[in-house]
């Protein structure tokens, strides 16, 4: 997969989920917009979980650890470049090592992710 395919297939989903890593709790309208975009992608909860752990968390957790990081909002263009670069290299041992350490990279936002997944399940007519 090339960079343009990644942006076309995942870009809007990555950008809508990035605010989970900001220093504020998402608002109702933030969650509603996230659910809307997730539904457009028609992914299973398992696929969403692995996207969260492997495609997003390794990049986004670096923002949380950086002293110079932007905490109120992200530069979408710069963030997309970082996400595409990470995901183009996400093969073999890198994929396995990120899977192994995904608990550490997701722990700061896990409560938000659980809330979002509960809302996705309700939107799909499932029991959370």
């Amino acid at each position: 997969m090339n960079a343009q395919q990644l942006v076309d297939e995942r870009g809007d989903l990555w950008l809508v989920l990035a605010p989970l890593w900001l220093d504020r709790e998402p608002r109702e309208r933030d969650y509603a917009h996230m659910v809307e975009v997730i539904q457009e992608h028609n992914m299973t909860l398992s696929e969403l979980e692995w996207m969260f752990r492997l495609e997003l968390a390794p990049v986004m957790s670096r923002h949380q650890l950086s002293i110079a990081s932007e905490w109120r909002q992200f530069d979408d263009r710069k963030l997309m470049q970082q996400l595409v670069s990470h995901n183009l290299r996400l093969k073999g041992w890198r994929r396995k090592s990120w899977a192994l350490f995904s608990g550490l990279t997701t722990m700061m936002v896990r409560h938000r992710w659980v809330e979002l997944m509960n809302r996705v399940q309700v939107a799909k007519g499932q029991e959370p």
Side-chain angles (χ1 to χ4, degrees):
M1 187 173 301
N2 66 37
Q4 189 58 52
Q5 287 174 307
L6 279 171
V7 171
D8 292 344
E9 291 180 18
R10 295 278 214 243
D12 59 335
L13 188 56
W14 288 339
L15 290 179
V16 80
L17 296 175
L20 292 172
W21 278 268
L22 291 175
D23 70 338
R24 63 170 176 76
E25 289 296 320
R27 296 180 285 262
E28 282 298 317
R29 71 173 185 224
D30 297 327
Y31 279 122
H33 184 60
M34 288 177 198
V35 169
E36 182 181 310
V37 173
I38 286 170
Q39 287 182 309
E40 291 171 6
H41 283 79
N42 199 28
M43 295 173 73
T44 67
L45 295 178
S46 179
E47 290 170 330
L48 286 167
E49 177 70 25
W50 284 108
M51 184 214 51
F52 170 68
R53 293 171 129 196
L54 299 179
E55 297 176 20
L56 276 168
V59 173
M60 302 308 298
S61 62
R62 289 182 205 139
H63 284 273
Q64 284 183 315
L65 297 174
S66 171
I67 294 172
S69 181
E70 184 63 47
W71 283 94
R72 293 284 174 207
Q73 64 183 19
F74 296 110
D75 176 344
D76 288 350
R77 186 168 181 254
K78 183 179 175 184
L79 181 58
M80 186 61 70
Q81 289 172 337
Q82 292 169 339
L83 287 163
V84 167
S85 176
H86 165 74
N87 281 279
L88 287 174
R89 293 186 317 265
L90 192 58
K91 295 174 178 63
W93 68 269
R94 281 190 172 101
R95 185 173 197 82
K96 290 175 184 172
S97 65
W98 282 121
L100 179 65
F101 292 107
S102 64
L104 293 173
T105 60
T106 60
M107 73 178 169
M108 296 294 288
V109 296
R110 179 55 68 179
H111 66 288
R112 295 173 183 171
W113 181 253
V114 169
E115 175 65 26
L116 177 59
M117 291 300 98
N118 286 339
R119 291 169 185 249
V120 168
Q121 285 180 292
V122 168
K124 289 183 174 191
Q126 300 171 352
E127 189 71 29

